Amino acid sequence: MPLGIQAMGDGVNFAIFSRNATRVRLELFSHPQDSAPARVMDLDSARNRTGDVWHIWVQGIGSGQLYAYRVDGPYEPSEGHRFNFNRLLLDPFATAISQLPPWDFAAACGYDSAAAEQDLVISKRDNSRSMPKCIFVNEPFEWNGDQPLRHLWSKTIIYEMHVRGLTIHPQSGVDHPGSYRGLTEKIPYLKTLGITAVELMPVQEFNETSVTRRNPLTSQMLTNYWGYDPVAFFAPKASYSSSGELGQQRLEFKEMVRAFHNAGIEVILDVVFNHTAEGDELGPTLCFRGLDNAIFYTLADDKRYYKDFTGTGNTINANHPVVRDYILSALRYWMVEMHVDGFRFDLAAVLGRGRSGRLLANAPLLGRIAEDPILRDVKIIAEAWDAAGAYEVGSFSERRWAEWNGRYRDDVRRFWRGDDGMLGSFASRICGSADIYTKSGKGPEGSINFITSHDGFTLNDLVSYRSKHNEANGENNHDGTDANYSENYGSEGADDDPGIEMLRKRQIKNFLLTLMISRGVPMLLGGDEFRRTQGGNNNAYCQDNETSWIDWANLEQHQEIYRFVRGMIAFRSAHPVLSKEVFYTDAEIHWFGPAGGLPNWADPKEKQFACLIQENEQDALFLIFNAGTNATEFRLPSLPNGGRWHRAVDTGCSAPQDLIAAGEEAPVDNSSAYPLVSHSSVILLARKKKPVSAVGAL
């Protein structure tokens, strides 16, 4: 112990788990593409095995050493065993793996025939040349006193991004495009925007070439761009390194985290512990399948097959004690060794399923993650559903778990689209979703609020397309959700009609305003601040091209939206009442209809309402929303002691009057009703003293 590879004395200890193996071989290589090892060590079951751990200490191993395993045992698929000594296996604890262009998954498949009925015939092909090797990395790194930032949820603004996609576009203006260093070069931009945390789409090592289809529109090969298909859970993605792929990726990742922390920005990783790239019974043997298939995966009653709660062919057996310890070890590694600040768990409902696949009332793994003494201060966020029908938004595990609030996304989209009967739901969402979270003891901080994410339309496309356009994915437009709750406002896709463009911009601002005034934790999709488009593709997982890349030319073209986002983030920061980690009390918030009384909550056709939020004894915010197609007027509540309302934000106004700098808000006539155009929102301020001017001009 510990499992994996550790420097000890003048050598290195290798340790790997396998309960049902009969033979384990360690192979050392000189080059990534080598088919023959430079040195072979067969582990003796008497001297090199303690319980289920196979181990060997080897003298003279230095940083950069390439290695892999071969593991033998019963090949009995009907019993769940799929050992194959002809397959080179990755160490599940490897902290870096080499890159091979292209990485040949087909050569790692377990059978000579792809037919299911042939799965009792083990493949004799050796895949050493086409298989990446593990890399022992033991280079020192100076953190210079770096410590976790531990931002409160109430102070957190999350920016979701793809490491490669943020800077790979020719217009990105960085020296190291598509890499960890390229991302580091964008830190000043993110700091100026007001971001306090970045959420990185998967950086755990995966194979880009696992998608084998072509784009039917261009004939170009598609790729595994998003990376939700992990191979090595401890290893940062090598191809995201600008300095090399033989261990340098680990150093460069650390440099990136250190730079983010120096700027006051946390790093959250989107992690995928629900399945692996080994797929179904016809998939490749890369690691877990060849080490102990029956322990690492949830198998069907007929153990030749896998239970699939993820839509990918297999499901990790997350609540087996061995697998549970493995996942915890990986999380601790990323936190302790790599200094990351939190994790967003993809399809996290899977982690709450037991060995039979049933959802557990008190899933051991989820409780362990929440209560682990090492992980106690990291942010943990659940995508609280899976591909098999589990939907646990509002009830996912214990209070420490925050959740992607899918109902927030859908209800806010439907309200601003003008759907009937959304008044009450929208009001609940902007107040922190007490109707969803109170029953589980969570507060608003349990709700990660988002309008868009990597999975679905961008914000620009949400107001530009009525339907998805995923033809380029090669799945006949059958992939991706149909429940987009989107609208095009006159034509499908890009349009230079001034009326359509004006309405689309107004709706974008309405969504952004809603996100930033809602209690809970706001998450912004990278590029939405300057209208990134995917051309209507709402499932661009396989598009490593300009469909997915952020085109930084849009920043100059859409300065109006960028300015609005930056201003709304600053506004949220200047008004802490909007981000408190408790639900509103009756004394803090009051509701109004256009005429000044209560809104008509029961009328499904009602599309307008307002709320008065009391910041303190003197100061208040009056928020007005009009999702209807007609202009309306709102009677303003009276203010004590001769106070006066001032307009801070009005999405119905043209820039720069849409958002006015702090301290320069325009006074309005308290005795008159405030007019709103269709599809618009307004924030009025009432303050005895002028707002603090330190927020700055925008």
Side-chain angles (χ1 to χ4, degrees), residues 19 60 103 124 131 135 180 187 207 249 255 279 289 296 308 347 378 399 437 456 475 534 538 607 670:
R19 177 167 299 167
W103 184 353
K124 301 296 184 182
M131 188 68 182
I135 309 169
Y180 302 121
I187 288 176
N207 176 22
Q249 60 264 39
E255 290 174 339
R289 175 174 286 153
F296 283 104
D308 183 10
L347 298 183
V378 303
R399 175 161 186 156
Y437 291 106
E475 299 183 50
Q534 293 181 167
N538 76 347
K607 303 292 193 298
N670 285 16

Side-chain angles (χ1 to χ4, degrees), residues 27-49:
E27 296 187 354
L28 305 181
F29 294 85
S30 299
H31 304 98
Q33 68 275 16
D34 287 351
S35 58
R39 188 177 178 188
V40 172
M41 282 152 283
D42 286 303
L43 277 61
D44 181 79
S45 59
R47 294 189 304 111
N48 300 111
R49 182 174 185 176

Side-chain angles (χ1 to χ4, degrees), residues 122-331:
I122 190 170
S123 172
K124 301 296 184 182
R125 292 176 296 169
D126 188 289
N127 70 325
S128 297
R129 183 181 295 276
S130 62
M131 188 68 182
K133 280 69 174 180
C134 307
I135 309 169
F136 172 51
V137 182
N138 194 33
E139 298 293 342
F141 183 79
E142 180 52 64
W143 283 102
N144 296 328
D146 179 70
Q147 292 292 321
L149 296 176
R150 298 191 179 102
H151 291 322
L152 298 174
W153 279 122
S154 60
K155 303 294 185 182
T156 299
I157 309 286
I158 299 173
Y159 188 89
E160 190 201 25
M161 70 172 79
H162 189 284
V163 172
R164 174 174 166 82
L166 188 79
T167 63
I168 192 60
H169 195 281
Q171 295 292 329
S172 67
V174 301
D175 294 328
H176 304 93
S179 68
Y180 302 121
R181 283 186 179 157
L183 184 51
T184 300
E185 292 178 68
K186 287 296 183 183
I187 288 176
Y189 167 82
L190 296 169
K191 179 87 170 167
T192 301
L193 185 60
I195 299 304
T196 70
V198 291
E199 183 172 303
L200 307 183
M201 289 173 65
V203 299
Q204 293 171 316
E205 191 65 70
F206 62 92
N207 176 22
E208 297 100 323
T209 64
S210 61
V211 177
T212 57
R213 298 188 311 281
R214 291 185 180 273
N215 182 332
L217 306 182
T218 66
S219 297
Q220 293 180 334
M221 285 300 299
L222 298 172
T223 65
N224 176 13
Y225 173 67
W226 282 357
Y228 289 93
D229 219 6
V231 171
F233 290 97
F234 285 68
K237 185 80 183 105
S239 65
Y240 294 166
S241 170
S242 65
S243 54
E245 300 171 343
L246 287 175
Q248 295 92 337
Q249 60 264 39
R250 189 166 175 259
L251 171 65
E252 194 168 320
F253 184 92
K254 289 181 176 181
E255 290 174 339
M256 177 195 71
V257 173
R258 185 179 62 192
F260 269 112
H261 286 178
N262 287 339
I265 299 175
E266 293 181 309
V267 178
I268 299 171
L269 300 188
D270 191 338
V271 291
V272 186
F273 288 108
N274 56 75
H275 75 282
T276 77
E278 291 186 306
D280 63 14
E281 68 278 0
L282 301 179
T285 297
L286 308 170
C287 180
F288 302 103
R289 175 174 286 153
L291 284 175
D292 224 318
N293 182 69
I295 286 177
F296 283 104
Y297 292 111
T298 302
L299 303 180
D301 293 338
D302 183 343
K303 294 182 181 179
R304 292 178 300 171
Y305 304 107
Y306 298 81
K307 291 188 176 180
D308 183 10
F309 302 110
T310 65
T312 63
N314 68 52
T315 303
I316 288 286
N317 189 12
N319 281 291
H320 187 289
V322 170
V323 185
R324 190 162 64 230
D325 286 347
Y326 173 76
I327 293 173
L328 284 164
S329 295
L331 295 172

Side-chain angles (χ1 to χ4, degrees), residues 322-474:
V322 170
V323 185
R324 190 162 64 230
D325 286 347
Y326 173 76
I327 293 173
L328 284 164
S329 295
L331 295 172
R332 290 171 184 154
Y333 169 79
W334 285 103
M335 184 265 179
V336 174
E337 296 295 330
M338 309 299 272
H339 283 214
V340 304
D341 302 277
F343 305 95
R344 178 265 187 189
F345 292 79
D346 179 66
L347 298 183
V350 169
L351 306 183
R353 293 185 182 271
R355 300 187 208 183
S356 67
R358 292 193 300 269
L359 288 168
L360 302 175
N362 296 292
L365 175 60
L366 301 180
R368 284 284 304 278
I369 292 172
E371 297 298 332
D372 185 83
I374 302 299
L375 304 175
R376 198 69 185 91
D377 293 321
V378 303
K379 290 179 167 66
I380 50 176
I381 304 169
E383 184 183 37
W385 53 84
D386 63 24
Y391 192 82
E392 298 182 288
V393 173
S395 60
F396 188 86
S397 191
E398 56 187 84
R399 175 161 186 156
R400 212 169 89 69
W401 281 91
E403 304 169 15
W404 267 26
N405 190 345
R407 286 185 59 187
Y408 179 95
R409 172 199 60 205
D410 295 346
D411 290 348
V412 171
R413 287 184 179 192
R414 293 185 63 198
F415 173 80
W416 282 117
R417 190 174 67 167
D419 289 10
D420 289 346
M422 297 306 300
L423 214 63
S425 295
F426 181 80
S428 182
R429 299 304 149 254
I430 67 174
C431 290
S433 298
D435 59 325
I436 297 176
Y437 291 106
T438 299
K439 60 181 178 292
S440 61
K442 298 182 180 182
E445 78 283 355
S447 178
I448 305 298
N449 298 332
F450 64 105
I451 310 296
T452 54
S453 68
H454 71 274
D455 191 3
F457 279 149
T458 66
L459 187 53
N460 178 81
D461 292 357
L462 185 66
V463 300
S464 303
Y465 294 90
R466 188 172 292 168
S467 304
K468 65 186 181 184
H469 295 270
N470 298 354
E471 292 81 4
N473 295 350

Side-chain angles (χ1 to χ4, degrees), residues 1-13:
M1 299 293 281
L3 292 170
I5 180 169
Q6 296 289 327
M8 293 184 177
D10 59 347
V12 165
N13 192 64

